[in-house]
Amino acid sequence: MPTSTTKREDILDSALTLFAERGFDATTIPMIATDAKVGAGTIYRYFANKEVLVNTLFQHYVTLFKEALEKNYPEEAGIREQFHHLFQGMIRFTNEHDHALYFIKTHTSAYFLDASSREQFGHLLMIFENFFEAGKQHGHIRELPSKALIAIIFGGFLQLYQLIRVGELEASAELLAGVEESCWDAVRHHS
Amino acid sequence: MPTSTTKREDILDSALTLFAERGFDATTIPMIATDAKVGAGTIYRYFANKEVLVNTLFQHYVTLFKEALEKNYPEEAGIREQFHHLFQGMIRFTNEHDHALYFIKTHTSAYFLDASSREQFGHLLMIFENFFEAGKQHGHIRELPSKALIAIIFGGFLQLYQLIRVGELEASAELLAGVEESCWDAVRHHS
DNA sequence: TTTATAGGAATGAATATTCATTCCGCTTTT
DNA sequence: AAAAGCGGAATGAATATTCATTCCTATAAA
């Protein structure tokens, strides 16, 4: 077998957790190696260097997230249901990939992201941007720049999930439903 | 003049900017020294080490922020006005101390914060917690854990301000008023 | 008023430490 | 037995921290 894919994924998993918890600069390669139960040198068999590793990780999860949001998107449904779909997508994605969204968020404007990573992230934002623009057109969404609306939703959601991850809140269905309602009220148009 | 207090403050100012822009780990002491126009060794005359420096900075601005929120707090006013006061406090503080809130936010759960820093930050949260608890008691605020409400407001606000700092949005009075309304709708009780 | 001097402040080159990356011998697979 | 995959010690570069030296400035002697 040419290099079992397992190790590569162990490395990516460990890197995701550590980058999310401590940040890129505070995470050392030996740390990742230890956590992944792998020699430090092995990491370099799979990734040319630390920056390639972080960009690979970033693009991988941005893509996954984008797909999660786009899958089964209810094009024809009402706006509230579309919002529900997006919000549920965020929740499901966060549950499936523990640290991924937080990692994405905290590294979105990092100095070491390459052009491709930035581009991928742009695509991701576009999903939300399209949603909000269409919603504003129909008078369903508050008249604020889409970028601002995205920031409010994303910022709030991720800050909340940080609390959950740290254990200060429990992710009950009730809490999540309440938060979705809160976020919806933040962006919808009120008459 | 024996050691003008200026140098110490030059150092703190430079550190604030650099920590906020690049993060603690990506900021080197020589960088701070250069920016502050000071010898690298001079920093160690004022701060025992890099961690003491960052904790000093953190506590300083948390305290300032807390004071800004508490000053002229309208105890007797209605809840919407109290919310306005808090929100305005956030805006004013951010305008007066450019990078301070962002620095606080991005370093709140950092591994190098000492007990005192964490405690100070707890006091800060208490202001919001008290506000939300009282509001829920009177049925004015959404029935969600205060921690969650705080996360939504803070997360959203700071994410937004990051866009402003980066220049993607302009901090017009109109935008800020809209965002305040959005945040208020996120936390208030809807009948 | 001018000059000398003590002592705190500031400096930045030197040192110690940490970290990304490399390299080589050992292990496993074929 | 050869080849491929691994581990982890070794290397070199970057960084935090130290320290011997210089620079001020305030006071005091001349």
Side-chain angles (χ1 to χ4, degrees), chain A residues 3-109:
Chain A
T3 303
S4 141
T5 185
T6 291
K7 274 183 201 290
R8 183 172 192 275
E9 280 171 9
D10 288 349
I11 293 166
L12 285 170
D13 282 353
S14 294
L16 174 64
T17 304
L18 289 165
F19 285 157
E21 285 178 350
R22 326 189 13 120
F24 177 77
D25 292 294
T27 301
T28 70
I29 292 286
M31 257 179 221
I32 298 172
T34 301
D35 191 271
K37 299 184 185 24
V38 144
T42 304
I43 292 178
Y44 288 85
R45 294 193 66 70
Y46 294 94
F47 306 96
N49 57 49
K50 199 181 171 188
E51 296 210 351
V52 167
L53 170 58
V54 76
N55 277 284
T56 302
L57 204 57
F58 187 86
Q59 288 172 40
H60 175 71
Y61 283 107
V62 165
T63 302
L64 264 190
F65 185 37
K66 194 157 48 99
E67 286 170 2
L69 294 177
E70 279 169 343
K71 187 173 174 191
N72 301 323
Y73 186 81
E75 290 286 357
E76 308 302 323
I79 188 148
R80 183 62 182 85
E81 191 174 329
Q82 291 180 339
F83 183 80
H84 178 70
H85 174 87
L86 292 178
F87 205 85
Q88 281 304 118
M90 285 166 56
I91 291 174
R92 202 169 338 108
F93 181 75
T94 301
N95 286 335
E96 281 167 21
H97 309 284
D98 230 340
H99 299 85
L101 253 197
Y102 190 69
F103 162 71
I104 291 174
K105 180 206 173 185
T106 48
H107 293 79
T108 358
S109 40

Side-chain angles (χ1 to χ4, degrees), chain B residues 65-74 85-86 123 127:
Chain B
F65 186 36
K66 195 157 49 98
E67 287 170 2
L69 294 178
E70 279 169 342
K71 189 173 174 190
N72 301 323
Y73 185 81
H85 174 87
L86 293 177
H123 292 162
I127 294 177

Side-chain angles (χ1 to χ4, degrees), chain B residues 109-121:
Chain B
S109 40
Y111 62 92
F112 46 75
L113 283 195
D114 62 27
S116 175
S117 290
R118 288 173 202 280
E119 194 188 324
Q120 293 286 328
F121 186 72

Side-chain angles (χ1 to χ4, degrees), chain B residues 147-164:
Chain B
K147 280 178 199 293
L149 295 170
I150 293 171
I152 292 169
I153 294 300
F154 247 72
F157 178 82
L158 287 169
Q159 196 73 22
L160 184 94
Y161 246 94
Q162 193 184 356
L163 290 184
I164 291 172

Side-chain angles (χ1 to χ4, degrees), chain B residues 49-119:
Chain B
N49 56 48
K50 199 181 170 188
E51 295 210 352
V52 167
L53 169 58
V54 76
N55 276 284
T56 302
L57 204 55
F58 187 86
Q59 287 171 41
H60 175 69
Y61 282 107
V62 164
T63 302
L64 263 190
F65 186 36
K66 195 157 49 98
E67 287 170 2
L69 294 178
E70 279 169 342
K71 189 173 174 190
N72 301 323
Y73 185 81
E75 291 285 357
E76 308 301 323
I79 187 146
R80 183 63 182 84
E81 191 173 329
Q82 291 180 339
F83 183 81
H84 179 71
H85 174 87
L86 293 177
F87 204 86
Q88 282 303 117
M90 286 168 52
I91 292 173
R92 202 168 339 107
F93 182 74
T94 301
N95 287 335
E96 281 169 21
H97 308 285
D98 229 343
H99 298 86
L101 250 198
Y102 189 69
F103 162 71
I104 290 174
K105 179 207 175 185
T106 49
H107 294 77
T108 350
S109 40
Y111 62 92
F112 46 75
L113 283 195
D114 62 27
S116 175
S117 290
R118 288 173 202 280
E119 194 188 324

